Amino acid sequence: MEEAFQTWRELLGWVIRDSQKRQHLAEAIGVNPVTLTRWAVNKSNPRPDALRSLVAALPQYHEQLSRLIAEEYPYILTENLAESEGAMEVVPSSFYAQILNIHTTNPPVLRASSICLAILQQMLKQLDPQEEGIAIFIAVCVPPAQQGRKVRSLRKSWGRGNMSWHGQLEHWSQFFGAESQTGCSAVSGRPIVVMSHGEREQLFPAHLHPKLGSSVTWPILLSDSIAGCLCIISERPNCFSQSQLDVIQSYADLCALAFEPDEFYNLRQLELGIMPSYRAQQVYVASFQQHVQRRMLQAAQRGQFITRPQAELFVWQELEERLLQLSLEIGKQIPEGEIFPSNAWFGPDEKQNGAL
């Protein structure tokens, strides 16, 4: 049997020819079954840690598989790989230079979006080079409508992703409150890592999704003040290694350069409310642009001038207040003891079975 295979990809293709075996192997090494097929037909290349997991999951082919892998990747299974792979799990020095250049050359009105989108794109490329399915977004603290009031929610502002079920991440908006992983991470000022669906069911029962495996929320801090959270989600369970969590922290630190000093709020200023489900929010968010235009027209009719960003902020604050009130109204209708139906927080096009 050994002489029949010329490459490790041929051997893998023979092993996964049975769909049930393919599914079991995919679960064992933490990838999608489709990913195994792409490896076998040379449509994509696995990460070093994935190749090591593949060898470990097929002990009956250990010697043959290791030899064939070594022909394509001579050093992939050696102990020296740990050092070379570790060097990849850092923010490239050239990217630090890029962000500093954006920070110093862009006008304030463009600085935040330019920095955040550059960071999200770089993270997507670095954390998921094989496009196995992750999404990354930044949720920012919604400024209180009146001075002296508390921060009541965060709102997704920028996002990038390659999940097949995620829809167009950059085009949807959503508020997050105390019921969410994002909100809990913001209030505590600490990162929260969830590695499985079962763990999520225990920690955030109002935010379940059948296709979601792992998620990380990392606060964007400046000393003891917060501007928002960097959020990463994956379809795969146990997706994030410690080296990846370290690099996520570095990117969260870089995100702080995107915000002005008055966009950071002391952690004691956060008093998050409960937000309704994504779908309940969309009834109101869908008309956001019309409300912005109406606000600017009304100001012009009164002889006042407001910029579009100012009008947008006013409307977001109005929507936040309405949604917080809606949650209270919904909560009064739920029998005591039932879980608040806040539903999934990750995509506009998902039809979660019985939950979204």
Side-chain angles (χ1 to χ4, degrees):
M1 182 66 68
E2 181 171 338
E3 296 300 323
F5 303 111
Q6 301 300 314
T7 68
W8 69 271
R9 297 179 191 273
E10 291 181 6
L11 173 54
L12 175 62
W14 185 83
V15 171
I16 65 173
R17 67 192 187 284
D18 177 83
S19 60
Q20 188 173 5
K21 291 182 178 179
R22 180 167 62 250
Q23 180 66 38
H24 288 165
L25 181 59
E27 293 175 357
I29 63 179
V31 300
N32 294 325
V34 174
T35 300
L36 291 178
T37 302
R38 288 171 58 84
W39 293 350
V41 298
N42 203 13
K43 290 290 186 180
S44 68
N45 298 311
R47 293 170 59 95
D49 59 335
L51 271 180
R52 293 198 297 274
S53 297
L54 177 64
V55 174
L58 296 171
Q60 66 272 40
Y61 302 106
H62 184 278
E63 182 177 351
Q64 182 182 10
L65 188 56
S66 297
R67 176 177 58 79
L68 292 172
I69 288 175
E71 292 179 3
E72 183 173 348
Y73 304 104
Y75 306 106
I76 207 82
L77 300 178
T78 65
E79 293 183 0
N80 291 335
L81 174 65
E83 297 181 4
S84 61
E85 184 183 7
M88 296 175 60
E89 296 297 350
V90 296
V91 179
S93 58
S94 59
F95 187 70
Y96 278 109
Q98 178 184 343
I99 293 300
L100 289 175
N101 178 262
I102 294 174
H103 185 269
T104 56
T105 60
N106 276 258
V109 69
L110 298 177
R111 185 179 298 141
S113 61
S114 298
I115 290 177
C116 289
L117 290 176
I119 289 174
L120 295 179
Q121 195 62 43
Q122 174 68 19
M123 289 184 67
L124 191 65
K125 180 174 65 174
Q126 185 168 356
L127 295 177
D128 191 24
Q130 307 305 321
E131 299 186 358
E132 295 175 352
I134 69 169
I136 312 170
F137 64 91
I138 294 174
V140 300
C141 294
V142 177
Q146 296 181 14
Q147 189 174 4
R149 286 191 175 184
K150 302 285 189 178
V151 174
R152 303 303 313 282
S153 73
L154 293 90
R155 180 181 63 83
K156 177 263 171 186
S157 293
W158 303 281
R160 288 290 183 269
N162 54 33
M163 285 176 157
S164 59
W165 54 270
H166 206 285
Q168 294 182 335
L169 182 63
E170 59 268 30
H171 298 309
W172 62 265
S173 294
Q174 183 171 358
F175 290 89
F176 304 99
E179 80 294 338
S180 67
Q181 180 179 347
T182 303
C184 289
S185 187
V187 170
S188 66
R190 298 177 180 274
I192 297 178
V193 181
V194 177
M195 287 295 200
S196 69
H197 183 80
E199 186 179 2
R200 176 174 305 283
E201 190 172 14
Q202 291 183 344
L203 296 175
F204 305 103
H207 286 262
L208 298 179
H209 193 289
K211 292 186 178 181
L212 181 61
S214 310
S215 59
V216 177
T217 50
W218 211 289
I220 300 171
L221 298 171
L222 185 63
S223 185
D224 59 351
S225 298
I226 184 170
C229 279
L230 177 62
C231 310
I232 306 96
I233 59 178
S234 171
E235 295 176 330
R236 294 182 293 147
N238 304 307
C239 177
F240 303 104
S241 66
Q242 184 56 54
S243 60
Q244 288 176 318
L245 293 177
D246 291 341
V247 83
I248 289 171
Q249 179 180 8
S250 296
Y251 280 115
D253 292 340
L254 263 183
C255 285
L257 291 176
F259 300 94
E260 299 298 324
D262 61 356
E263 294 177 301
F264 286 87
Y265 300 89
N266 190 282
L267 293 174
R268 293 190 297 273
Q269 291 180 259
L270 270 63
E271 193 174 283
L272 302 189
I274 302 294
M275 280 294 172
S277 72
Y278 172 82
R279 289 194 174 184
Q281 292 187 35
Q282 296 316 295
V283 175
Y284 300 87
V285 174
S287 58
F288 171 74
Q289 295 298 336
Q290 294 94 309
H291 286 297
V292 171
Q293 293 173 3
R294 186 179 301 115
R295 167 72 72 156
M296 296 183 71
L297 179 60
Q298 291 172 346
Q301 291 172 343
R302 294 192 297 266
Q304 301 172 345
F305 172 78
I306 60 173
T307 65
R308 186 171 188 85
Q310 289 174 326
E312 290 179 348
L313 175 58
F314 291 146
V315 174
W316 285 130
Q317 291 169 333
E318 291 171 351
L319 286 174
E320 177 195 53
E321 183 63 30
R322 181 66 189 95
L323 292 172
L324 289 170
Q325 184 61 37
L326 178 64
S327 292
L328 294 176
E329 296 170 1
I330 294 175
K332 294 177 181 179
Q333 302 173 15
I334 301 174
E336 185 177 355
E338 287 193 13
I339 296 174
F340 184 82
S342 186
N343 300 332
W345 48 291
F346 297 119
D349 301 324
E350 263 311 274
K351 294 179 170 59
Q352 179 180 344
N353 296 330
L356 193 136

